[in-house]
Amino acid sequence: MDKVAKDPAGAGEIDLHQTLDDINSTMESFLGTASVDRVYGSPIEVGTTIIIPTSENLVIMGFGAAAGYGRGNFDGDEEDSKPGEGNGEAGGGGGGGGGRTLSRPVAVVIATPEGVRVETVADRTKVIMAAITAAGFVAGMFLRMSRGPKSF
């Protein structure tokens, strides 16, 4: 891979290594949000009991880039120009990326002199949404079955 690529339209140079380094740096910082340090919180000591919070982390990201260059009549009379013909060159490019991280507590690890246990953290919203979804599905199937078979 060339370190520097020149675009055919002469608009400038594109430093491919710098672009890849920027993407890699962004990805590393993004993935750092899902490290083990983020999953397990700092231990909390209460007397002889140690509590360690745990979480579930979800990282979503995407990147994209494109560029294009061409020749044509760029004097405003584009209906008459054919691809590859003309007296002008133009080009352009762009890129972008985005993402999101989501975290939610899932459990706590409790260590006492008697032993270690894991207590789950119930996500009420998730449970309620699952119940509403299941109830809607059951109601829909009940209505569909109560109508009887379709006649063609």
Side-chain angles (χ1 to χ4, degrees):
M1 182 184 304
D2 293 338
K3 179 179 167 74
V4 175
K6 295 186 184 274
D7 70 42
E13 295 181 346
I14 303 166
D15 187 348
L16 299 176
H17 286 278
Q18 181 62 43
T19 302
L20 292 174
D21 287 345
D22 291 344
I23 291 172
N24 190 36
S25 171
T26 303
M27 285 180 62
E28 283 178 1
S29 66
F30 224 82
L31 291 174
T33 62
S35 72
V36 71
D37 297 333
R38 306 278 191 228
V39 174
Y40 294 100
S42 300
I44 302 165
E45 281 191 57
V46 180
T48 59
T49 303
I50 298 174
I51 302 169
I52 303 170
T54 62
S55 67
E56 173 184 66
N57 297 328
L58 175 65
V59 177
I60 303 168
M61 66 182 153
F63 294 96
Y69 300 94
R71 296 174 137 201
N73 293 321
F74 299 108
D75 58 2
D77 192 18
E78 295 166 3
E79 295 89 29
D80 297 334
S81 66
K82 294 179 183 170
E85 296 180 356
N87 55 6
E89 290 185 358
R100 182 170 184 180
T101 61
L102 303 167
S103 297
R104 67 178 190 91
V106 292
V108 290
V109 178
I110 302 170
T112 64
E114 293 81 35
V116 177
R117 68 181 193 278
V118 177
E119 298 285 335
T120 59
V121 175
D123 186 351
R124 290 185 188 141
T125 304
K126 201 172 194 178
V127 172
I128 290 170
M129 291 304 293
I132 290 170
T133 302
F137 179 76
V138 169
M141 290 303 293
F142 178 75
L143 288 172
R144 185 175 177 186
M145 289 189 304
S146 66
R147 289 186 201 161
K150 288 184 179 181
S151 59
F152 292 100

